[in-house]
Each structure stands twice: as C-alpha cells, then as structure tokens.
Amino acid sequence: MIINLIIVLVLAVILLTIWLNFRHNDVKWSDRKIDIAKLDFPRDFLWGAATSAYQVEGACDQNDWSVWERSFAENANPRIKGGQKPGLAADHWNRYRNDIDLLRQMGGNAYRFSVEWSKVCPGPGVWDRRVIDHYIEKCAYLNENGAKPFVTLHHFTIPAWLFERGGFEHPDSVNYFSDFVYKMAEALGPYVDYWATINEPAVYAMMGWVRGIFPPGKQDPGLAARVLNNLLKAHFQAYHAIHETDQSDADGDGVPCKVGIVKNITIFDPARKWWLPDWVGAKILHHLFNQSVLEAFLTDRFAFNLKNIVNFSQKIPGLSDTLDWIGLNYYTQYLCKPDRKSDFKIKMYPSQKAAQTDMGWAVYPAGLYRALQMIRLPGVPIYITENGIATEDETLRQDFILKHVEAIREAMLDSCDVRGYFYRSLLDNFEWVEGFDKRFGLYHVDFETQKRTLKDGAQIYKEIIHARGHKK
Ligand code: BGC
C-alpha cells in the first residue's frame, strides 16, 4: 500500500516537472536582421522621449528627495550613491527650449515630462505663479514646435511639507494631490490633452516602503499596500478633476483631455522552469508588482496579498472607468527563486544569458511584447511611456532600441492597440539613488558644461523616426 503511494507520488512529481518544463511562459523570438524601412507603423503613431522633473530640471530643493539627499541609512552610508546630489541636474529648467529642439531634430513629435509639485506648491495652499507660468510656456513651446506634451503629475517626488505629514501613507494626501491637479489642469489645460496622473505606483510603493531605498525608507509591506491604495484613489480623483477642468482641445482632435496612469511591468519568470517553487516565486512577484494594480482597474478592488505578510483588500468604486489610455514603462525581466534572505523571501536576478545594462538589468526585448499583452485592457489604448537603457556601449543601445521597437510592431500585429513610444531618457539624468553615473540619455550630457551631444547608439532612433516620414 505504502509502496503504491510512493510510486504514485514520484510519478506525479515527474509528470509535474515535465509539464512545468514545457509550460509556455516565453514567446518565440528570432534574432533576425531588422529592416528599418519595413517596420510598418501607422502615420499618427507618436515618437517621443521622456524625462522627469527631479531627474533633469535642477533646483528641486523643496521636495522629499531633497531631504533624502541629506540623510543617511542606518549603516551611516548616504542614501544616494557616494552622497551625490542632483543640484542643477541637466539644467532642463533653463534649457528646455534647446532640449525640445533637440528632440524635434530627431523627428520626435511628443514629449513626456513631469511637473514638480513642490515647486508649484511650496507650502500647503501656497501656489507659485512664476512656476506655473514656466510650465505654461514650456507646453506652449512644445505645441508651437510640433511636439505633443504628455504631462505627468506625480513622478516619485512630493513636497517636503507633505512628506512631513506622512506623504501618501496619509489619506489626506489624496485631497492635497487633487488640489494640485486642479491647479495644473486649469493652467495647462489649454495646451495639454494628454495627462498621466501617477508614475509607476507599485514601484514607488515598493522602493519606499518595502525595499526602503526611496523616501521614506521603510520596510513594511502593510504600509506599502496602504500607500498603493491611496495612490489609486489619488488617480481616481485626479481623473475626475482633469475631466471637470480641462475643457479645451489643445490638439484639435475633438477631445479636450485624455487621462491615464503609467504602469511599470517587469517580467518575472521562474529561474528553473521545471521547479514548482520557482514558478510560485515568480507568480507572487508578478501579483505584487504587476497584477495587483492592473486588476484593480478591471474589478474596482485593490487587493495586495501575501500569505502571513500582508493581506489588504479595498473597493475603489468606479476605478475601472478612469482610464482613457494606459502608459507602459518596460525595462527588463527577472528570474525568480525562493530565498529566505530576500524581500518577500524571493530572490530576483537577471538572466546570465542576456546582455546586461549598467543598471545590471537583462536586455530582454521579448519582454516588451509580453508586457504589452499583459497590460492590454478592453478598449484602452497603450502608450509606451518609458523604455530605455543605461549603457556606455553605443552598439548595445542601438541594438536595444531597434529590437524593442520591433517588439512593439509584433505586439501591434497581434492586436495590441499601441499609439506611441517614448524612449527614456531624452537626456542623461540624475538616476535617483544611482546618481549621475547611469547614462540612459539619447543625448549625452556633460554635467560640468551642460553640453548635449547625440549619442551614436541613439542615431538609430532618429533613423527609425525619419524613415516614418517625421522630420523637423
Ligand atoms: C522611473 C524613471 C527611472 C527609470 C529607470 C522608472 O522606474 O519612472 O524615473 O529613471 O525607471 O530607473
């Protein structure tokens, strides 16, 4: 009897292993030569580049990151590599006209950037008119020069005064954010049709409240869930605030505003395809980073669960009606396996078979195809709001851009409704805790002289755009 049971168990394990090994979690991807002329994209597809205020503008000295720059971890190390501070960063605040010209010279017809909440609103209820006018001028300049502004309202930073009050941990943050959104929609509405409410809510919550390497540097998954829930509520209110306020059709397509959220998708795969615990690890991370937010937009319920660690579920009625488009930020894939010492007890690491970026991320273009399939929601167009590579190897950058653009085309042929692509970053920038060393830019920036130079690896992006007939 016992022997029979053992035989059945062993057979079951063997069968499971074989089944797992053949379970399809990848897409067939051939490394063929790509002919730029034959990459067929619709004429109105947007070709752009992205930045964010803290990373390029300079003089962001009233937000939570300016506090973070001056603080130290428990081991006495500075929070940012080598104690670097962004200072003037790429001085985009003063040089935005030149930078927009640089984008236009590549043929780019859309620009994603963020407005710095702490500059617009340096104290509760205090609005800086000079800053608001600056952003109005920037959006006007974009329109005059044939580039659509895509404005992000929250890109990882909050005003220092709100940071002191608990930031997005605190439910009041939702109303503070919506006051800011009303102000921006009122001021920029005549120039802007595309609004992104929140950049990468799950990454923001994980970095600040699970890994503890972004402000406020906590490690508490329960709080991370609350923060994420508040961010989704903030999105909900912002969506309605913009629709109420922005009634002017800036680009003449008959629609005054289109509001979306920007979602990062990371591909999590089992390290060993034949080993069930690795599949479980990948699935857990996929739930926490990717699915929890996407499902909230399908079900009006935000659920963030991990056995014995966090169990959060709350309804956000009407959330599923708040996406006119969705932004996808895609960078990489991680392999996963159980590991007691890692966050959530799952180790994630890049495949050694792939080329790696200076961030230590695997280059995995098939992942963009998979991410696009994952993020599609019924009737919601997709913009790729970020994709790019930190490298000093310009052949690798060229290859990266070409292969990722091809992956988009493949996804579109398989009925993904993709409307635009933004390479990130337009310029080398201040890469959060990594500081200035990781160079993502299409343009190299000499941070001493602020000189910009188009990188060799970025030429291909220009060629792709020009081949589609878009020239300055
Ligand atoms: C963020 C960018 C960041 C990039 C690369 C994304 O999470 O939106 O601001 O620079 O990843 O780290």
Side-chain angles (χ1 to χ4, degrees), residues 52 55 112 155-156 199-200 203 262 264 329 331 359 361 386 424 429-432 440:
S52 88
Q55 296 181 277
R112 174 177 177 234
H155 195 124
F156 290 175
N199 180 67
E200 300 189 346
V203 171
V262 170
N264 172 288
N329 288 0
Y331 289 94
M359 296 290 281
W361 296 344
E386 280 182 37
R424 197 206 74 83
N429 69 189
F430 192 76
E431 190 48 45
W432 306 108
F440 278 91

